[in-house]
Each structure stands twice: as structure tokens, then as C-alpha cells.
Amino acid sequence: MRFRFNIRLTEEDYLNFNIFHLYNDPSSKKNLLIIRICLNVILFSALILQIFVSGDIAAIIVTAVFLVIPVVLLNVFYNKYWEFITKKQIKSMKKSGKLPFSPESLLEFYDNYSVEITSQTKTEHNYSSFEKIYLSEHRYIYIYISSVQAYIIPLSAFSSEEHFNSFMSFISTKCSNITVC
């Protein structure tokens, strides 16, 4: 065994991962952009429709004010809204008694594969299954083992900077798709 980590995750760690994923996963970023564009187009289309339908300048101005305000608010608070929704979804899952993550796990990295051991499962992954690795905000390492599932390694799991650097050197030989954000 090359590396072993006792991982203790909190709800906040999992939330941070989901928000990170929301803004960094190409599919999620694309979906957020499409939703934002569609909402803006719908609101501006309503304004243009009002201009063509109504000959009353006062009605056009009132409609413009009532449509421009939501457009501005939408664009200012768009990311915060999605973060709020993500947080609510996690709390809802927790309330139903099913945490979407394991609060405690053991991650072991061998020469040819990795092992994750939780209280309920033991999973092995060949390094070829690692899709990408992110070093996020210098607080977490996210090792994606699928498009939506990742090992979350808080930097607090490392005993020293040398330990961290040694792991990063090792893991970069196993997966070249590493991004620092």
C-alpha cells in the first residue's frame, strides 16, 4: 500500500463538493448556462411581445420595469439560487435518513488500484477508471471515478505538506487529467 487516508466528511464537505461539481463539471456548467439563457430569452420575449401588442407607451414602460427587475435579479442571484437548491436537496436527503455520502471511510492507494472501505461497502477501482482529478481551492482533492461520483479527500487528511506532495506526485502518474482550481 502506497497511501492510506482515514476520511471524515461533514455535510459541509459534501455540500462543497456538490457546489464545486455544479460549477466545474462541463455538463452541469452547460445546463446552468442553457437555463440562464432560456429564462432571459423568455423574459425579454415577453417584453417584445408587449411592445408589439400594446400601443400604449405607459403599459410598455410598466411591463419593461416588471420584466427588467426579474432579469437583473435572476442574473445577480443565479449562482446563489442554485447553491441554495443544492443545500436544500442535501438536507432533504439527510432528513429522510439516507446520507448521500459516507461520513467515515478509509481510502487506500496501491500501485495498481485504489480501495474505498466504508461501514457498508468495500470498493476497488483501477486507476484507469479515474476520469479526472481536481485540486480545489487548496482545501480538497476530488478524484472522479465516474461523471458524478468522486473520492473527496480533504487536505486535512494529509499529515504534512511533504505527504501531500508525495501523494500528488504518485496520483499524477496514475491519472494525467489533473486540474488545479
Side-chain angles (χ1 to χ4, degrees):
M1 172 178 25
R2 300 288 302 266
F3 293 92
R4 177 184 224 164
F5 301 101
N6 289 310
I7 305 294
R8 287 177 177 71
L9 296 178
T10 64
E11 192 176 318
E12 181 182 347
D13 294 327
Y14 186 71
L15 175 64
N16 289 338
F17 166 70
N18 279 276
I19 290 171
F20 177 87
H21 181 78
L22 189 66
Y23 298 137
N24 292 282
D25 176 65
S27 176
S28 294
K29 283 170 52 173
K30 180 181 175 185
N31 289 340
L32 286 177
L33 181 62
I34 289 169
I35 292 169
R36 177 179 259 171
I37 289 170
C38 288
L39 288 173
N40 281 304
V41 166
I42 290 168
L43 291 170
F44 278 116
S45 296
L47 176 60
I48 293 188
L49 181 66
Q50 178 65 26
I51 290 170
F52 285 116
V53 169
S54 175
D56 182 13
I57 193 75
I60 293 171
I61 291 172
V62 168
T63 303
V65 168
F66 282 109
L67 290 176
V68 168
I69 290 171
V71 167
V72 169
L73 291 175
L74 166 74
N75 287 295
V76 168
F77 295 108
Y78 191 72
N79 289 347
K80 290 293 180 194
Y81 170 76
W82 286 108
E83 290 173 20
F84 172 77
I85 293 298
T86 302
K87 186 182 264 187
K88 258 187 104 144
Q89 288 173 336
I90 292 169
K91 285 187 187 271
S92 174
M93 286 186 264
K94 183 179 180 181
K95 196 179 267 189
S96 72
K98 295 183 181 179
L99 286 174
F101 65 96
S102 298
E104 293 187 17
S105 64
L106 179 66
L107 281 177
E108 297 175 335
F109 293 87
Y110 296 87
D111 285 329
N112 298 317
Y113 62 96
S114 66
V115 178
E116 179 186 34
I117 303 168
T118 69
S119 61
Q120 299 170 354
T121 62
K122 178 179 180 180
T123 318
E124 291 186 12
H125 292 281
N126 290 326
Y127 293 117
S128 60
S129 69
F130 288 6
E131 292 187 8
K132 55 194 166 202
I133 299 173
Y134 288 102
L135 176 57
S136 161
E137 303 169 5
H138 303 289
R139 292 177 44 198
Y140 300 97
I141 297 173
Y142 299 125
I143 302 174
Y144 277 81
I145 51 179
S146 73
S147 61
V148 294
Q149 185 181 14
Y151 293 149
I152 303 170
I153 305 176
L155 293 189
S156 61
F158 294 93
S159 59
S160 66
E161 190 171 334
E162 181 181 292
H163 185 219
F164 168 78
N165 291 334
S166 177
F167 176 75
M168 290 307 292
S169 293
F170 168 78
I171 205 69
S172 67
T173 65
K174 305 301 180 185
C175 179
S176 60
N177 191 2
I178 298 177
T179 304
V180 178
C181 303

